[in-house]
Amino acid sequence: TMPKEPAVLRQNILDTTAAILACGIDPKKCILFRQSLVPEHAELAWILGCLTNVPRLLRLPQWKAKHASQNNEGTVGLLTYPVLQAADILLYKSTRVPVGEDQVLHLELAQDTAQHFNKKYGEFFPVPKAILSEL
C-alpha cells in the first residue's frame, strides 16, 4: 500500500520467492505465481469493493493503527486492502485459510462478503473458515 521504487519491488519479489523456496515449498507440488500478473485479483477486488461499505473498513483495527501512524493521511489502498485480501481468498473459492490472530477480522470481512454476494447473486463463493496458527 506504499509506493515502491520499481527496482526495489523487483528485488523484493525475488527475495520473497527465494524465501518461499528456502522454506521447503516444492514448486513441483505447488503453483507459485505473482499475484500482480493475475488481473482477476484486482477485478474481483473492484466488484467486492462495490459491495463493501466504508464504515465497516474504517472500523478495522489495522486501518486505525496505520492511519494514525501516517498522521491521519492513510491512502485508499490502505483502506481497501482488506477487500483485496477477501478477493484473494474468494477468487480461488478457498474453504480454509491459515491466519494469525491479527488477521481474523479481515477473514471475517471475507466471510461476510461471500455471504452477502451469495445472498444477492446466488450461491457462488464458499464461506472460508479460519485455521488459526499457533505461535
Side-chain angles (χ1 to χ4, degrees):
T1 59
M2 300 297 294
K4 301 275 188 225
E5 290 296 323
V8 172
L9 181 58
R10 280 190 293 278
Q11 188 60 50
N12 287 347
I13 291 167
L14 293 174
D15 292 347
T16 299
T17 304
I20 289 169
L21 295 172
C23 287
I25 298 296
D26 185 350
K28 293 177 184 168
K29 296 180 182 178
C30 301
I31 298 172
L32 295 178
F33 63 93
R34 209 165 87 201
Q35 175 186 337
S36 60
L37 296 178
V38 181
E40 289 83 358
H41 285 268
E43 292 165 0
L44 183 57
W46 174 258
I47 292 167
L48 299 180
C50 292
L51 298 174
T52 305
N53 67 51
V54 173
R56 171 81 187 270
L57 297 175
L58 291 172
R59 287 192 301 269
L60 292 172
Q62 287 86 347
W63 163 258
K64 289 179 181 179
K66 293 269 185 160
H67 186 245
S69 73
Q70 294 176 0
N71 297 321
N72 296 322
E73 294 187 13
T75 64
V76 171
L78 178 62
L79 179 65
T80 60
Y81 185 71
V83 178
L84 177 61
Q85 287 180 307
D88 295 343
I89 293 164
L90 298 177
L91 182 63
Y92 297 98
K93 296 191 173 184
S94 303
T95 57
R96 302 273 191 268
V97 181
V99 294
E101 285 290 334
D102 64 327
Q103 292 298 310
V104 168
L105 291 176
H106 287 188
L107 183 60
E108 287 176 3
L109 177 68
Q111 293 166 333
D112 293 346
T113 302
Q115 290 169 339
H116 181 70
F117 187 96
N118 292 343
K119 184 177 180 182
K120 191 169 184 77
Y121 300 107
E123 289 298 315
F124 188 76
F125 293 116
V127 177
K129 293 185 178 16
I131 300 172
L132 291 171
S133 58
E134 295 179 20
L135 298 177

